[in-house]
Amino acid sequence: GRLVDISVEEGSLIQKDELLASLDIKELNAKLQEVIAYKQQAIENKNYTLAIVQEKESALNLVKKNYNRANSLYQSKSIPLAEYQKNEAELQTAKAALSAAKSQVISADATINAAIAQMETIKVNIEDSKLYSPIKGRVLFFIKALQNNRYRCN
């Protein structure tokens, strides 16, 4: 970021940990708000995906019952092989749909964790935008040049 404030003057006595200068953090704050919104969207996506998992689990339970009924009927020769195979295929499809939905939950968790990591990085950058004195002493001089309304410290 750009240097926006120098809190001391040449010749000033300074204390250890005294604020010396600050960088502009407007862009970092905007990025932080963007990532917070992205994280919230990821949380909503996860909640939606969890609802889909519940729906797929319910559908799988029904398909299992139908399959078990079809299996019993097929064993007693009450339904043809094609009917039994249809129920078997529906069972496999329901299992695959549930597995896919669970994968989406894992993906949503990863997205949330990535957003949290981005937030932490931005927060660290915001904290690092302030320069503090490592020692007690006196500011002897600044080496600076004003270039395009920006300080360039050497």
Side-chain angles (χ1 to χ4, degrees), residues 14-28:
I14 56 172
Q15 301 299 315
K16 183 178 187 317
D17 298 325
E18 184 175 339
L19 179 64
L20 302 176
S22 303
L23 299 176
D24 184 2
I25 59 171
K26 289 177 193 168
E27 185 177 333
L28 289 172

Side-chain angles (χ1 to χ4, degrees), residues 49-102:
T49 306
L50 286 169
I52 291 173
V53 167
Q54 286 181 332
E55 176 187 339
K56 299 299 180 187
E57 285 173 341
S58 178
L60 178 60
N61 287 334
L62 177 61
V63 170
K64 279 181 182 177
K65 288 177 185 176
N66 289 340
Y67 170 77
N68 289 336
R69 190 175 316 116
N71 187 32
S72 293
L73 291 171
Y74 177 70
Q75 296 300 324
S76 67
K77 309 279 189 224
S78 299
I79 61 169
L81 176 62
E83 184 72 24
Y84 168 75
Q85 289 174 333
K86 176 185 167 213
N87 281 282
E88 189 176 38
E90 287 174 355
L91 178 62
Q92 295 307 317
T93 300
K95 286 179 179 179
L98 178 59
S99 179
K102 287 180 177 180

